[in-house]
Coordinates of all heavy atoms in Angstrom, one line a residue:
M1 N -82.8 0.1 31.4 CA -82.0 1.4 30.9 C -81.0 1.7 31.9 O -79.8 2.0 31.5 CB -83.1 2.4 30.8 CG -82.5 3.7 30.1 SD -81.8 3.3 28.4 CE -80.7 4.7 28.2
K2 N -81.4 1.7 33.2 CA -80.4 2.1 34.3 C -79.2 1.2 34.2 O -78.1 1.7 34.4 CB -81.1 2.0 35.6 CG -80.7 3.2 36.5 CD -81.5 3.2 37.8 CE -80.9 4.1 38.8 NZ -81.7 4.0 40.1
K3 N -79.4 -0.1 33.9 CA -78.3 -1.1 34.0 C -77.3 -0.7 32.8 O -76.1 -0.9 33.0 CB -78.9 -2.5 33.8 CG -79.3 -3.2 35.0 CD -79.5 -4.7 34.7 CE -79.9 -5.3 36.0 NZ -81.1 -6.3 35.8
I4 N -77.9 -0.3 31.7 CA -77.0 0.0 30.6 C -76.1 1.2 30.9 O -74.9 1.2 30.6 CB -77.8 0.4 29.4 CG1 -78.6 -0.9 28.9 CG2 -76.9 0.8 28.2 CD1 -79.6 -0.7 27.8
I5 N -76.7 2.2 31.6 CA -75.9 3.3 32.0 C -74.7 3.0 33.0 O -73.6 3.3 32.8 CB -76.8 4.4 32.6 CG1 -77.7 5.0 31.6 CG2 -75.9 5.6 33.2 CD1 -78.8 5.9 32.1
I6 N -75.2 2.2 34.0 CA -74.2 1.7 35.0 C -73.0 0.9 34.3 O -71.9 1.1 34.4 CB -74.8 0.9 36.1 CG1 -75.7 1.8 36.9 CG2 -73.8 0.2 37.0 CD1 -76.6 1.0 37.9
F7 N -73.5 0.0 33.4 CA -72.5 -0.8 32.6 C -71.5 0.1 31.8 O -70.4 -0.1 31.8 CB -73.3 -1.7 31.7 CG -72.4 -2.7 30.8 CD1 -71.7 -3.7 31.4 CD2 -72.2 -2.4 29.5 CE1 -70.8 -4.5 30.6 CE2 -71.4 -3.2 28.7 CZ -70.7 -4.2 29.3
S8 N -72.1 1.1 31.1 CA -71.2 2.0 30.3 C -70.2 2.7 31.2 O -69.1 2.8 30.8 CB -72.1 3.0 29.6 OG -73.2 2.4 29.0
V9 N -70.7 3.2 32.3 CA -69.8 3.9 33.2 C -68.7 3.0 33.7 O -67.5 3.4 33.6 CB -70.6 4.5 34.4 CG1 -69.6 5.0 35.5 CG2 -71.5 5.6 34.0
V10 N -69.0 1.7 34.1 CA -68.0 0.8 34.6 C -67.1 0.5 33.4 O -65.8 0.5 33.6 CB -68.7 -0.5 35.1 CG1 -67.7 -1.5 35.3 CG2 -69.5 -0.2 36.4
L11 N -67.6 0.2 32.2 CA -66.7 -0.1 31.1 C -65.8 1.0 30.8 O -64.6 0.9 30.6 CB -67.6 -0.5 29.9 CG -66.9 -1.0 28.7 CD1 -66.3 -2.4 29.0 CD2 -67.7 -1.1 27.4
G12 N -66.4 2.3 30.8 CA -65.6 3.5 30.5 C -64.4 3.6 31.5 O -63.3 3.9 31.1
C13 N -64.7 3.4 32.8 CA -63.6 3.4 33.8 C -62.6 2.4 33.5 O -61.4 2.6 33.7 CB -64.2 3.2 35.1 SG -65.3 4.5 35.6
V14 N -63.0 1.2 33.2 CA -62.1 0.1 33.0 C -61.2 0.5 31.8 O -59.9 0.4 31.9 CB -62.8 -1.3 32.7 CG1 -61.8 -2.3 32.2 CG2 -63.5 -1.7 33.9
I15 N -61.8 0.9 30.7 CA -61.0 1.2 29.5 C -60.0 2.4 29.8 O -58.9 2.4 29.5 CB -61.9 1.6 28.3 CG1 -62.6 0.4 27.8 CG2 -61.1 2.2 27.1 CD1 -63.8 0.6 26.8
Y16 N -60.6 3.4 30.6 CA -59.7 4.6 30.8 C -58.6 4.2 31.8 O -57.5 4.7 31.5 CB -60.6 5.6 31.5 CG -59.8 6.9 31.8 CD1 -59.4 7.8 30.8 CD2 -59.4 7.1 33.1 CE1 -58.7 8.9 31.1 CE2 -58.6 8.2 33.4 CZ -58.3 9.1 32.5 OH -57.5 10.2 32.7
S17 N -58.8 3.4 32.7 CA -57.8 3.1 33.7 C -56.8 2.1 33.1 O -55.6 2.0 33.6 CB -58.4 2.5 35.0 OG -59.1 1.4 34.7
C18 N -57.2 1.3 32.1 CA -56.3 0.3 31.5 C -55.3 0.9 30.6 O -54.1 0.6 30.5 CB -57.0 -0.8 30.8 SG -57.8 -2.0 31.9
S19 N -55.9 1.8 29.7 CA -55.0 2.3 28.6 C -53.8 3.0 29.0 O -52.8 2.8 28.3 CB -55.9 3.1 27.6 OG -56.7 4.0 28.3
P20 N -53.7 3.9 30.0 CA -52.5 4.6 30.2 C -51.4 3.7 30.8 O -50.2 4.2 31.0 CB -52.8 5.7 31.2 CG -54.3 5.6 31.4 CD -54.7 4.3 31.0
T21 N -51.7 2.5 31.2 CA -50.7 1.7 31.9 C -49.5 1.3 30.9 O -48.4 1.1 31.4 CB -51.2 0.4 32.5 OG1 -51.9 -0.2 31.5 CG2 -52.1 0.8 33.7
L22 N -49.9 1.2 29.6 CA -48.8 0.7 28.7 C -48.0 1.9 28.3 O -48.5 2.9 27.7 CB -49.4 0.1 27.4 CG -48.4 -0.5 26.6 CD1 -47.6 -1.7 27.2 CD2 -49.0 -1.0 25.3
Y23 N -46.8 1.9 28.7 CA -45.8 3.0 28.5 C -45.7 3.6 27.1 O -45.8 2.9 26.1 CB -44.4 2.3 28.9 CG -43.2 3.0 28.4 CD1 -42.8 4.2 29.0 CD2 -42.4 2.6 27.4 CE1 -41.7 4.9 28.7 CE2 -41.3 3.2 27.0 CZ -40.9 4.3 27.6 OH -39.8 5.0 27.2
K24 N -45.8 4.9 27.1 CA -45.7 5.6 25.8 C -44.3 6.3 25.8 O -44.1 7.2 26.6 CB -46.7 6.8 25.8 CG -48.1 6.2 25.4 CD -49.0 7.4 24.9 CE -50.4 6.9 24.6 NZ -51.4 7.3 25.7
P25 N -43.4 5.8 24.9 CA -42.1 6.4 24.9 C -42.1 7.8 24.3 O -42.9 8.1 23.4 CB -41.3 5.4 24.0 CG -42.4 4.8 23.2 CD -43.7 4.8 23.9
V26 N -41.2 8.7 24.8 CA -41.1 10.0 24.3 C -39.7 10.3 23.9 O -38.8 10.0 24.6 CB -41.6 11.1 25.3 CG1 -41.4 12.5 24.8 CG2 -43.0 10.8 25.8
T27 N -39.5 10.9 22.7 CA -38.2 11.3 22.2 C -38.3 12.6 21.5 O -39.3 12.9 20.9 CB -37.5 10.2 21.3 OG1 -36.4 10.7 20.7 CG2 -38.5 9.6 20.3
I28 N -37.2 13.3 21.4 CA -37.2 14.6 20.7 C -37.1 14.4 19.2 O -37.4 15.2 18.3 CB -36.2 15.6 21.2 CG1 -34.8 14.9 21.3 CG2 -36.6 16.3 22.5 CD1 -33.7 15.9 21.4
D29 N -36.6 13.2 18.8 CA -36.4 12.9 17.4 C -37.8 12.5 16.8 O -38.3 11.5 17.1 CB -35.4 11.6 17.3 CG -35.1 11.2 15.9 OD1 -36.0 11.6 14.9 OD2 -34.1 10.6 15.6
A30 N -38.2 13.4 15.9 CA -39.6 13.3 15.3 C -39.8 12.0 14.5 O -40.9 11.4 14.6 CB -39.9 14.5 14.5
V31 N -38.8 11.6 13.7 CA -38.9 10.4 13.0 C -39.0 9.2 13.9 O -39.8 8.3 13.7 CB -37.7 10.3 12.0 CG1 -37.7 9.0 11.2 CG2 -37.6 11.5 11.1
K32 N -38.1 9.2 14.9 CA -38.1 8.1 15.8 C -39.4 8.0 16.6 O -39.9 6.9 16.8 CB -36.9 8.3 16.8 CG -36.7 7.2 17.8 CD -35.9 6.0 17.2 CE -35.9 4.8 18.1 NZ -35.5 3.6 17.4
Q33 N -39.9 9.1 17.0 CA -41.1 9.3 17.7 C -42.3 8.6 16.9 O -43.1 7.8 17.5 CB -41.5 10.7 18.0 CG -42.8 10.9 18.9 CD -42.6 10.4 20.3 OE1 -41.7 10.9 21.0 NE2 -43.3 9.4 20.7
K34 N -42.4 8.8 15.6 CA -43.3 8.3 14.8 C -43.2 6.8 14.7 O -44.2 6.0 14.8 CB -43.2 8.9 13.4 CG -44.5 9.2 12.8 CD -44.4 9.9 11.5 CE -45.7 9.8 10.7 NZ -45.6 10.2 9.3
Q35 N -42.0 6.3 14.6 CA -41.7 4.9 14.6 C -42.2 4.2 15.9 O -42.8 3.1 15.8 CB -40.2 4.7 14.5 CG -39.7 3.9 13.4 CD -38.2 3.8 13.4 OE1 -37.6 3.6 14.5 NE2 -37.6 4.0 12.3
L36 N -41.8 4.8 17.0 CA -42.2 4.2 18.3 C -43.7 4.2 18.4 O -44.3 3.2 18.9 CB -41.6 5.1 19.4 CG -40.1 4.9 19.6 CD1 -39.5 6.0 20.5 CD2 -39.6 3.5 19.9
N37 N -44.4 5.3 18.0 CA -45.8 5.3 18.1 C -46.5 4.1 17.3 O -47.4 3.5 17.7 CB -46.4 6.6 17.6 CG -46.0 7.8 18.6 OD1 -45.6 7.5 19.7 ND2 -46.3 9.0 18.2
T38 N -45.9 4.0 16.1 CA -46.5 3.0 15.1 C -46.2 1.6 15.8 O -47.1 0.7 15.8 CB -45.7 3.0 13.8 OG1 -45.7 4.4 13.3 CG2 -46.4 2.1 12.8
G39 N -45.0 1.4 16.3 CA -44.7 0.1 17.0 C -45.6 -0.2 18.1 O -46.1 -1.3 18.2
R40 N -45.9 0.8 18.9 CA -46.9 0.6 20.0 C -48.2 0.2 19.5 O -48.8 -0.7 20.1 CB -46.9 1.9 20.8 CG -47.8 1.8 22.1 CD -47.7 3.1 22.9 NE -48.4 3.0 24.1 CZ -49.7 3.2 24.3 NH1 -50.5 3.4 23.2 NH2 -50.2 3.1 25.5
I41 N -48.7 0.9 18.5 CA -50.0 0.6 17.9 C -50.1 -0.8 17.4 O -51.0 -1.6 17.7 CB -50.4 1.5 16.8 CG1 -50.7 3.0 17.4 CG2 -51.7 1.1 16.1 CD1 -50.7 4.1 16.5
I42 N -49.0 -1.2 16.7 CA -49.0 -2.6 16.1 C -48.9 -3.6 17.2 O -49.7 -4.6 17.2 CB -47.8 -2.8 15.2 CG1 -47.8 -1.8 14.1 CG2 -47.7 -4.3 14.7 CD1 -46.5 -1.8 13.2
Y43 N -48.2 -3.3 18.3 CA -48.1 -4.2 19.5 C -49.4 -4.4 20.1 O -49.9 -5.5 20.3 CB -47.1 -3.6 20.4 CG -46.9 -4.5 21.7 CD1 -46.6 -5.8 21.5 CD2 -47.0 -3.9 22.9 CE1 -46.4 -6.6 22.7 CE2 -46.9 -4.6 24.1 CZ -46.6 -6.0 24.0 OH -46.4 -6.7 25.1
V44 N -50.1 -3.3 20.3 CA -51.4 -3.4 21.0 C -52.5 -4.1 20.1 O -53.2 -4.9 20.6 CB -52.0 -2.0 21.4 CG1 -53.3 -2.0 22.0 CG2 -51.0 -1.3 22.4
D45 N -52.5 -3.8 18.8 CA -53.4 -4.4 17.9 C -53.2 -5.9 17.7 O -54.1 -6.6 17.5 CB -53.3 -3.7 16.5 CG -54.0 -2.4 16.5 OD1 -54.7 -2.0 17.5 OD2 -54.0 -1.7 15.5
H46 N -51.9 -6.3 17.6 CA -51.7 -7.7 17.3 C -51.3 -8.6 18.4 O -51.3 -9.8 18.2 CB -50.5 -7.7 16.2 CG -51.0 -7.2 14.9 ND1 -50.9 -5.8 14.6 CD2 -51.4 -7.7 13.7 CE1 -51.3 -5.6 13.4 NE2 -51.7 -6.7 12.8
C47 N -50.9 -8.1 19.5 CA -50.4 -9.0 20.5 C -51.3 -9.1 21.7 O -50.9 -9.8 22.7 CB -49.1 -8.5 21.0 SG -47.9 -8.3 19.5
S48 N -52.5 -8.5 21.7 CA -53.3 -8.6 22.9 C -54.5 -9.5 22.7 O -55.4 -9.6 23.6 CB -53.8 -7.2 23.3 OG -54.5 -6.6 22.2
S49 N -54.6 -10.2 21.6 CA -55.8 -11.0 21.4 C -55.8 -12.3 22.1 O -56.8 -12.9 22.6 CB -56.0 -11.3 19.9 OG -54.8 -11.8 19.3
C50 N -54.6 -12.9 22.4 CA -54.5 -14.2 23.1 C -54.2 -14.0 24.6 O -54.6 -14.8 25.4 CB -53.5 -15.1 22.4 SG -53.8 -15.4 20.7
H51 N -53.4 -13.1 24.9 CA -53.0 -12.9 26.3 C -52.8 -11.4 26.6 O -52.8 -10.6 25.7 CB -51.7 -13.6 26.6 CG -50.6 -13.4 25.6 ND1 -50.0 -12.2 25.4 CD2 -50.0 -14.2 24.7 CE1 -49.1 -12.3 24.4 NE2 -49.2 -13.5 24.0
N52 N -52.7 -11.1 27.9 CA -52.5 -9.7 28.2 C -51.1 -9.2 27.7 O -50.3 -10.1 27.5 CB -52.4 -9.5 29.7 CG -53.8 -9.7 30.4 OD1 -54.8 -9.4 29.7 ND2 -53.8 -10.1 31.6
L53 N -51.0 -8.0 27.4 CA -49.8 -7.4 26.9 C -48.7 -7.5 27.9 O -48.9 -7.2 29.1 CB -50.0 -6.0 26.4 CG -50.8 -5.8 25.2 CD1 -51.2 -4.3 25.0 CD2 -50.2 -6.3 24.0
H54 N -47.5 -8.0 27.5 CA -46.4 -8.0 28.5 C -45.8 -6.6 28.4 O -45.6 -6.0 27.4 CB -45.4 -9.0 28.0 CG -45.9 -10.4 28.2 ND1 -45.7 -11.2 29.3 CD2 -46.6 -11.2 27.4 CE1 -46.2 -12.4 29.2 NE2 -46.8 -12.4 28.0
L55 N -45.4 -6.1 29.6 CA -44.8 -4.8 29.7 C -43.4 -4.7 29.1 O -42.7 -5.8 29.2 CB -44.8 -4.2 31.1 CG -46.2 -4.1 31.7 CD1 -46.1 -3.6 33.1 CD2 -47.0 -3.1 30.9
P56 N -43.0 -3.6 28.5 CA -41.7 -3.6 27.8 C -40.5 -4.0 28.8 O -39.6 -4.6 28.5 CB -41.5 -2.1 27.4 CG -42.9 -1.7 27.2 CD -43.8 -2.4 28.2
K57 N -40.7 -3.6 30.1 CA -39.6 -3.8 31.1 C -39.5 -5.3 31.5 O -38.5 -5.6 32.2 CB -39.8 -3.0 32.3 CG -41.1 -3.1 33.0 CD -41.0 -2.4 34.4 CE -42.1 -2.9 35.3 NZ -43.3 -2.1 35.4
E58 N -40.4 -6.1 31.1 CA -40.4 -7.5 31.5 C -39.3 -8.3 30.9 O -38.9 -9.3 31.5 CB -41.8 -8.2 31.2 CG -42.9 -7.9 32.1 CD -44.2 -8.6 31.7 OE1 -44.2 -9.9 31.6 OE2 -45.2 -8.0 31.5
F59 N -38.8 -7.9 29.8 CA -37.7 -8.7 29.1 C -36.6 -7.7 28.6 O -36.9 -6.6 28.4 CB -38.2 -9.5 27.9 CG -39.3 -10.5 28.3 CD1 -40.6 -10.1 28.0 CD2 -39.0 -11.7 28.9 CE1 -41.7 -11.0 28.3 CE2 -40.1 -12.5 29.3 CZ -41.4 -12.2 29.0
N60 N -35.4 -8.2 28.4 CA -34.4 -7.4 27.9 C -34.4 -7.6 26.3 O -35.2 -8.3 25.8 CB -33.0 -7.7 28.4 CG -32.6 -9.2 28.2 OD1 -33.2 -9.8 27.4 ND2 -31.6 -9.7 28.9
V61 N -33.5 -7.0 25.6 CA -33.5 -7.0 24.2 C -33.5 -8.5 23.6 O -34.3 -8.8 22.8 CB -32.3 -6.2 23.6 CG1 -32.3 -6.3 22.1 CG2 -32.4 -4.8 24.0
E62 N -32.6 -9.2 24.2 CA -32.5 -10.7 23.8 C -33.8 -11.4 24.0 O -34.2 -12.2 23.2 CB -31.3 -11.3 24.5 CG -29.9 -10.9 24.1 CD -29.8 -10.8 22.5 OE1 -30.1 -11.8 21.9 OE2 -29.4 -9.8 22.0
G63 N -34.3 -11.2 25.2 CA -35.6 -11.8 25.6 C -36.7 -11.5 24.6 O -37.4 -12.4 24.1
W64 N -36.8 -10.2 24.3 CA -37.9 -9.8 23.4 C -37.7 -10.4 22.0 O -38.6 -10.8 21.3 CB -37.9 -8.2 23.3 CG -38.8 -7.7 24.4 CD1 -38.4 -6.8 25.4 CD2 -40.2 -7.9 24.7 NE1 -39.5 -6.5 26.2 CE2 -40.6 -7.3 25.8 CE3 -41.2 -8.7 24.0 CZ2 -41.9 -7.2 26.3 CZ3 -42.5 -8.8 24.5 CH2 -42.8 -8.1 25.6
K65 N -36.4 -10.3 21.5 CA -36.2 -10.9 20.2 C -36.6 -12.4 20.1 O -37.3 -12.7 19.1 CB -34.6 -10.9 19.9 CG -34.2 -9.5 19.3 CD -32.8 -9.6 18.8 CE -32.2 -8.3 18.5 NZ -30.8 -8.2 18.7
K66 N -36.3 -13.1 21.1 CA -36.6 -14.5 21.2 C -38.2 -14.7 21.2 O -38.8 -15.4 20.4 CB -36.1 -15.2 22.4 CG -35.6 -16.6 22.3 CD -35.0 -17.1 23.6 CE -36.2 -17.6 24.4 NZ -36.0 -17.6 25.9
H67 N -38.9 -13.9 22.0 CA -40.3 -14.1 22.1 C -41.0 -13.5 20.9 O -42.0 -14.2 20.4 CB -40.9 -13.3 23.4 CG -40.6 -13.9 24.6 ND1 -40.9 -15.2 25.0 CD2 -40.0 -13.4 25.8 CE1 -40.5 -15.5 26.1 NE2 -39.9 -14.4 26.7
L68 N -40.5 -12.5 20.3 CA -41.1 -12.0 19.0 C -40.9 -12.9 17.9 O -41.9 -13.0 17.1 CB -40.4 -10.6 18.7 CG -41.0 -9.4 19.5 CD1 -40.1 -8.2 19.2 CD2 -42.4 -9.1 19.0
D69 N -39.8 -13.6 17.8 CA -39.7 -14.7 16.8 C -40.7 -15.7 16.9 O -41.3 -16.2 16.0 CB -38.3 -15.3 16.8 CG -37.2 -14.3 16.2 OD1 -37.7 -13.4 15.4 OD2 -36.0 -14.5 16.5
T70 N -41.0 -16.2 18.2 CA -42.0 -17.2 18.4 C -43.3 -16.6 18.1 O -44.2 -17.3 17.5 CB -42.0 -17.6 19.9 OG1 -40.6 -17.7 20.3 CG2 -42.6 -18.9 20.1
M71 N -43.7 -15.4 18.5 CA -45.0 -14.9 18.4 C -45.3 -14.3 17.0 O -46.5 -14.1 16.7 CB -45.1 -13.7 19.4 CG -45.2 -14.2 20.9 SD -46.5 -15.3 21.1 CE -45.7 -16.5 22.2
Q72 N -44.3 -14.1 16.2 CA -44.5 -13.6 14.9 C -45.4 -14.5 14.1 O -46.3 -14.1 13.5 CB -43.1 -13.5 14.1 CG -43.3 -12.9 12.7 CD -42.0 -12.7 12.0 OE1 -41.0 -13.3 12.4 NE2 -42.0 -11.9 10.9
V73 N -45.2 -15.8 14.3 CA -46.0 -16.8 13.6 C -47.5 -16.7 14.1 O -48.4 -16.7 13.3 CB -45.5 -18.2 13.9 CG1 -46.2 -19.2 13.0 CG2 -44.0 -18.2 13.5
K74 N -47.6 -16.7 15.4 CA -48.9 -16.6 16.1 C -49.7 -15.4 15.6 O -50.9 -15.4 15.3 CB -48.8 -16.7 17.6 CG -48.4 -18.0 18.1 CD -48.6 -18.0 19.7 CE -47.9 -19.2 20.3 NZ -48.6 -20.4 20.1
A75 N -49.0 -14.2 15.7 CA -49.7 -12.9 15.4 C -49.7 -12.6 13.9 O -50.4 -11.6 13.5 CB -49.0 -11.8 16.2
K76 N -49.1 -13.4 13.1 CA -49.1 -13.2 11.7 C -48.6 -11.8 11.3 O -49.4 -11.1 10.6 CB -50.5 -13.5 11.1 CG -50.9 -15.0 11.3 CD -52.1 -15.2 10.5 CE -52.7 -16.6 10.8 NZ -53.2 -16.8 12.1
I77 N -47.5 -11.4 11.8 CA -47.0 -10.1 11.4 C -45.8 -10.2 10.5 O -45.1 -11.3 10.5 CB -46.6 -9.3 12.7 CG1 -45.7 -10.1 13.6 CG2 -47.8 -8.8 13.5 CD1 -45.1 -9.3 14.8
S78 N -45.5 -9.1 9.8 CA -44.4 -9.2 8.9 C -43.1 -8.9 9.6 O -43.1 -8.5 10.8 CB -44.6 -8.0 7.8 OG -44.5 -6.8 8.4
D79 N -41.9 -9.0 9.0 CA -40.7 -8.7 9.6 C -40.6 -7.3 9.9 O -40.0 -6.9 11.0 CB -39.5 -9.0 8.6 CG -39.3 -10.6 8.5 OD1 -39.8 -11.3 9.4 OD2 -38.6 -11.0 7.6
T80 N -41.1 -6.4 9.1 CA -41.1 -4.9 9.3 C -41.9 -4.6 10.6 O -41.4 -3.8 11.4 CB -41.7 -4.2 8.1 OG1 -41.2 -4.7 7.0 CG2 -41.3 -2.7 8.2
E81 N -43.1 -5.3 10.7 CA -43.9 -5.0 11.9 C -43.2 -5.5 13.2 O -43.2 -4.9 14.2 CB -45.3 -5.7 11.7 CG -46.1 -5.0 10.7 CD -47.4 -5.8 10.3 OE1 -47.3 -7.0 10.2 OE2 -48.3 -5.1 10.0
K82 N -42.6 -6.7 13.0 CA -41.9 -7.3 14.1 C -40.7 -6.3 14.6 O -40.6 -6.1 15.8 CB -41.3 -8.6 13.8 CG -40.6 -9.3 14.9 CD -40.1 -10.7 14.5 CE -38.9 -10.6 13.7 NZ -38.3 -11.9 13.4
Q83 N -40.0 -5.7 13.6 CA -38.9 -4.8 13.9 C -39.4 -3.6 14.7 O -38.9 -3.1 15.7 CB -38.2 -4.4 12.6 CG -36.9 -3.7 12.8 CD -35.9 -4.6 13.7 OE1 -35.8 -5.7 13.6 NE2 -35.2 -3.9 14.5
L84 N -40.6 -3.0 14.2 CA -41.2 -1.8 14.8 C -41.6 -2.1 16.2 O -41.4 -1.3 17.1 CB -42.4 -1.3 14.0 CG -42.0 -0.6 12.7 CD1 -43.2 -0.5 11.8 CD2 -41.5 0.8 13.0
I85 N -42.2 -3.3 16.5 CA -42.6 -3.7 17.8 C -41.3 -3.8 18.7 O -41.3 -3.3 19.8 CB -43.3 -5.0 17.8 CG1 -44.7 -4.9 17.0 CG2 -43.7 -5.5 19.3 CD1 -45.5 -6.2 16.9
L86 N -40.2 -4.4 18.2 CA -39.0 -4.5 18.9 C -38.5 -3.2 19.3 O -38.0 -3.0 20.4 CB -38.0 -5.4 18.1 CG -36.7 -5.7 18.9 CD1 -36.9 -6.7 20.0 CD2 -35.7 -6.2 17.9
E87 N -38.5 -2.3 18.4 CA -37.9 -0.9 18.6 C -38.7 -0.3 19.8 O -38.1 0.4 20.6 CB -38.0 0.0 17.4 CG -37.4 -0.6 16.1 CD -36.1 0.2 15.8 OE1 -36.0 1.3 16.2 OE2 -35.3 -0.5 15.2
Y88 N -40.0 -0.4 19.7 CA -40.9 0.1 20.8 C -40.6 -0.5 22.1 O -40.4 0.2 23.1 CB -42.4 0.0 20.4 CG -43.3 0.2 21.6 CD1 -43.4 1.3 22.2 CD2 -43.9 -1.0 22.2 CE1 -44.1 1.5 23.4 CE2 -44.7 -0.8 23.3 CZ -44.8 0.4 23.9 OH -45.5 0.5 25.1
L89 N -40.5 -1.8 22.1 CA -40.4 -2.6 23.4 C -39.0 -2.4 24.0 O -39.0 -2.5 25.3 CB -40.6 -4.0 23.2 CG -42.1 -4.4 22.9 CD1 -42.2 -5.9 22.4 CD2 -43.0 -4.2 24.1
T90 N -38.1 -2.1 23.2 CA -36.7 -2.0 23.8 C -36.1 -0.6 23.8 O -34.9 -0.4 24.0 CB -35.7 -3.0 23.0 OG1 -35.8 -2.6 21.6 CG2 -36.2 -4.4 23.2
F91 N -37.0 0.4 23.5 CA -36.5 1.8 23.4 C -36.0 2.3 24.8 O -36.8 2.1 25.8 CB -37.6 2.7 22.9 CG -37.2 4.1 22.8 CD1 -36.3 4.6 21.9 CD2 -37.8 5.0 23.7 CE1 -35.9 5.9 21.9 CE2 -37.4 6.4 23.7 CZ -36.4 6.8 22.8
K92 N -34.8 2.8 24.8 CA -34.4 3.4 26.0 C -34.1 4.9 25.8 O -33.4 5.3 24.9 CB -33.0 2.8 26.4 CG -33.0 1.4 26.8 CD -33.4 1.1 28.2 CE -33.4 -0.4 28.6 NZ -34.4 -1.1 27.8
P93 N -34.9 5.8 26.5 CA -34.7 7.2 26.2 C -33.3 7.7 26.5 O -32.6 7.2 27.3 CB -35.7 7.9 27.2 CG -36.5 6.8 27.8 CD -35.7 5.5 27.6
Ligands
HEC101 C1 -52.6 -16.6 18.5 C2 -52.3 -16.3 19.9 C3 -51.2 -15.3 20.3 C4 -50.8 -14.1 19.7 C5 -51.5 -13.4 18.6 C6 -49.7 -13.6 20.5 N1 -49.3 -14.6 21.4 FE1 -47.8 -14.3 22.8 N2 -48.2 -16.2 23.5 C7 -49.3 -17.0 23.2 C8 -49.2 -18.2 23.9 C9 -50.2 -19.4 23.8 C10 -48.2 -18.1 24.8 C11 -47.6 -19.1 25.9 C12 -47.0 -20.3 25.4 C13 -45.8 -20.1 24.5 O1 -44.8 -19.5 25.1 O2 -45.8 -20.4 23.4 C14 -47.6 -16.8 24.5 C15 -46.4 -16.3 25.3 C16 -45.9 -15.1 25.0 C17 -44.8 -14.5 25.7 C18 -44.0 -15.3 26.8 C19 -44.2 -15.0 28.2 C20 -43.3 -15.7 29.1 O3 -43.2 -15.3 30.3 O4 -42.6 -16.6 28.7 C21 -44.5 -13.3 25.3 C22 -43.4 -12.3 25.7 C23 -45.4 -13.0 24.2 N3 -46.3 -14.1 24.1 C24 -45.5 -11.9 23.5 C25 -46.3 -11.7 22.3 C26 -46.1 -10.7 21.4 C27 -45.1 -9.6 21.4 C28 -47.2 -10.8 20.4 C29 -47.4 -10.0 19.2 C30 -46.4 -10.0 18.2 C31 -47.9 -12.0 20.8 N4 -47.4 -12.5 22.0 C32 -49.0 -12.5 20.1 C33 -50.2 -16.7 22.2 C34 -50.2 -15.6 21.3

């Protein structure tokens, strides 16, 4: 029983400390904000199953476009979903 508690605490800490690292964009434009949030969710949901998530700052717009085209097939996402991920990854406040 004790082991389970320790395990849960450790797991909780890991989840808590991992989640805020992925940048959350903020904008005053409500429509854009919704779009960015959706893009972030799709990104986390579809792109973290095979490898760690790459941070938005790792590539520029051209780099992301290229990688997203390659990964679209692997992640089985639609063009719209790909576009939303791109907007999220390349958003400059
Ligand atoms: C089915 C597994 C799988 C999924 C899902 C997946 N990837 Fe990948 N990804 C890979 C593999 C394997 C590589 C390395 C080999 C390659 O480049 O093809 C890679 C490489 C990458 C790279 C290149 C890193 C570099 O330094 O060159 C980026 C960026 C990337 N993925 C982003 C994404 C994004 C964004 C998504 C979601 C749309 C995604 N991946 C979903 C398997 C996957």
Side-chain angles (χ1 to χ4, degrees):
M1 188 60 200
K2 218 172 170 185
K3 269 194 185 136
I4 296 174
I5 294 170
I6 293 169
F7 179 72
S8 316
V9 170
V10 170
L11 188 70
C13 292
V14 170
I15 292 171
Y16 180 76
S17 58
C18 283
S19 46
T21 54
L22 188 64
Y23 163 74
K24 281 199 185 101
V26 180
T27 167
I28 47 163
D29 182 339
V31 177
K32 184 82 189 163
Q33 183 69 61
K34 221 172 159 196
Q35 231 180 46
L36 292 169
N37 292 348
T38 313
R40 186 178 183 277
I41 292 166
I42 300 172
Y43 180 53
V44 175
D45 278 359
H46 291 83
C47 305
S48 60
S49 50
C50 302
H51 47 66
N52 288 334
L53 289 170
H54 292 268
L55 296 178
K57 63 169 193 258
E58 280 180 57
F59 305 100
N60 60 16
V61 180
E62 290 312 309
W64 275 120
K65 273 191 190 148
K66 216 181 84 210
H67 288 307
L68 277 169
D69 282 341
T70 320
M71 291 299 142
Q72 180 176 18
V73 187
K74 290 190 192 289
K76 300 188 182 70
I77 50 170
S78 67
D79 286 346
T80 318
E81 289 169 325
K82 184 176 73 171
Q83 192 56 37
L84 283 165
I85 297 176
L86 183 69
E87 305 253 335
Y88 161 68
L89 289 169
T90 58
F91 177 71
K92 296 276 183 300

